[in-house]
Amino acid sequence: MRTALGSVAFLLAAPAAAQEQPPPRINDIAVIGTHNSYKLAMPTETMAKLRATNPQMADALDYAHRPLAEQLDAGARQLELDVNYDPAGGHYARGSSDPKLRRRGFKVLHIPGIDNGSSCVLLTECLQAIRAWSDAHPRHVPILLMFNAKDEQNAARGGIDALPFDAAAYDALDAEIRSVLKPDKLITPDDVQGKFPTLRDAVLAGNWPLLEASRGKILFALDEPPAKVAVYRGARKSLEGRVFFINTDEQSPAAAYLTLNDPIGDAERIRRDVTAGYLVRTRADANTSEARANDTRPRDAALAGGAQFVSTDYLWADPRFAGGYRVQSPGGLVARCNPVRRPAGCGNLEAGK
């Protein structure tokens, strides 16, 4: 444990260390985020029925989050939304009296017809809440919005089959985002690629925007496997004209972002990719397992491993579980220097919440 005298010395030394380094770029930071950030608790009766038939699934779904703005107030700088395509409106309305489900546009739901609780049912509603918070806190470091494009077939287990994400669906998704967030609020693949031949070339050359020029902005990542991100990318050389960065392999011309969710098993790859210049998201916990056991090993590995975005279901501890498991940035900082890219540190990169 650092002594009081040692802490003072560390704080005094930090500015000098920071002055010896070039200004930080957006891949030089490390922040905390949340998983399925919109999710509300399942109704007690629904959870009881699920637990009676499938206790493992019940455990995995037994978590919830506070409203998006409250998470941002608490320091989350990465949020995750699950979007469901609904161009005509009403596809996901069966069994629900919520009029929002009858409106056209993307719906933010976890498992339609089974786990429907959402703090912002409409994607536009979620984005408006994030935009309002961002506008009120213009000095925040960039917020990463991760999306899952939901296409699961849930009817066999009592839910609603999702509509597929084809090229038209992805075009509509980009358009819906741009209808809420204007260009000056976004960091897009084109902003990073600049004049480089490919997005990957730009990333490896260190062409991420400077942090200071990126405050108050938002970037998007599509967290999907190769076949689905290939549809989003289409015939583009990289991601020209698109809103989202995509989860892809390091050799792709579109490589800039990777989802590597095992902070222990993927530790070497995470460190290598972060060092090379990529953005990486990992998870501190999953399916409530770590919180129930108060197992901090994945969390600690994630925080030390260099991933810029460490996602959790426990920005706050769940009082039902012994041990008080939660995930916070070291030192309580909203945004800190990346422990792999800037190991000397540089203090708090976002002084206010």
Side-chain angles (χ1 to χ4, degrees):
M1 179 179 296
R2 186 182 289 130
T3 65
L5 183 59
S7 297
V8 170
F10 173 81
L11 291 171
L12 290 174
Q19 290 172 5
E20 295 170 2
Q21 303 180 82
R25 296 180 180 269
I26 65 174
N27 61 328
D28 290 324
I29 69 173
V31 298
I32 303 299
T34 55
H35 160 254
N36 290 347
S37 311
Y38 59 89
K39 188 181 178 313
L40 301 180
M42 294 175 67
T44 302
E45 183 179 349
T46 305
M47 177 56 75
K49 289 179 180 179
L50 179 62
R51 193 166 292 285
T53 58
N54 190 337
Q56 185 175 5
M57 183 177 180
D59 276 356
L61 296 178
D62 193 12
Y63 65 93
H65 290 291
R66 302 183 191 185
L68 300 181
E70 196 168 341
Q71 295 175 51
L72 292 165
D73 280 340
R77 293 296 178 266
Q78 172 260 305
L79 302 173
E80 182 179 358
L81 303 177
D82 289 338
V83 288
N84 298 264
Y85 187 41
D86 192 12
H91 182 79
Y92 301 99
R94 192 195 73 207
S96 174
S97 59
D98 188 345
K100 293 176 182 177
L101 290 173
R102 302 196 177 279
R103 291 169 57 179
R104 294 180 181 181
F106 290 89
K107 307 302 186 297
V108 177
L109 307 167
H110 189 215
I111 307 175
I114 297 174
D115 188 10
N116 261 19
S118 178
S119 63
C120 47
V121 170
L122 304 175
L123 173 58
T124 52
E125 184 183 17
C126 300
L127 295 175
Q128 287 162 359
I130 295 165
R131 183 189 65 192
W133 187 93
S134 175
D135 288 346
H137 302 80
R139 293 286 299 162
H140 70 76
V141 299
I143 298 167
L144 174 68
L145 298 186
M146 285 182 50
F147 277 39
N148 290 138
K150 303 290 277 190
D151 60 1
E152 288 89 350
Q153 303 302 287
N154 298 305
R157 50 178 175 167
I160 300 169
D161 287 344
L163 297 177
F165 269 81
D166 56 12
Y170 283 127
D171 287 345
L173 181 59
D174 273 10
E176 192 157 299
I177 291 167
R178 290 188 187 276
S179 75
V180 177
L181 299 173
K182 302 310 177 188
D184 64 351
K185 290 295 291 184
L186 296 173
I187 299 170
T188 66
D190 285 339
D191 294 326
V192 178
Q193 184 170 339
K195 296 181 180 180
F196 285 87
T198 69
L199 180 58
R200 178 178 183 268
D201 289 330
V203 166
L204 296 181
N207 203 48
W208 288 102
L210 290 170
L211 174 61
E212 192 59 30
S214 305
R215 294 186 183 277
K217 296 189 178 186
I218 298 166
L219 65 159
F220 289 76
L222 184 62
D223 179 22
E224 291 295 350
K228 290 176 72 172
V229 298
V231 176
Y232 181 77
R233 183 180 170 196
R236 296 167 181 82
K237 187 172 184 180
S238 294
L239 289 165
E240 294 81 6
R242 282 305 204 187
V243 169
F244 286 84
F245 297 89
I246 59 173
N247 178 32
T248 189
D249 69 89
E250 294 89 341
Q251 301 309 310
S252 168
Y257 164 86
L258 297 99
T259 298
L260 299 173
N261 279 336
D262 181 351
I264 296 176
D266 291 331
E268 182 178 347
R269 186 178 177 190
I270 290 172
R271 180 173 289 270
R272 182 174 65 246
D273 287 345
V274 168
T275 300
Y278 297 107
L279 290 180
V280 175
R281 178 261 198 166
T282 195
R283 291 184 68 174
D285 44 75
N287 301 323
T288 77
S289 299
E290 288 80 8
R292 292 175 186 276
N294 195 27
D295 179 2
T296 63
R297 291 171 298 172
R299 178 196 71 187
D300 296 345
L303 293 173
Q308 288 89 350
F309 305 99
V310 175
S311 185
T312 181
D313 287 322
Y314 298 95
L315 204 55
W316 292 273
D318 188 326
R320 300 174 300 168
F321 303 150
Y325 177 89
R326 65 181 300 198
V327 178
Q328 292 179 294
S329 182
L333 302 181
V334 173
R336 61 189 173 112
C337 264
N338 189 283
V340 168
R341 293 186 59 81
R342 295 230 172 184
C346 52
N348 191 355
L349 295 175
E350 188 181 321
K353 296 184 182 181

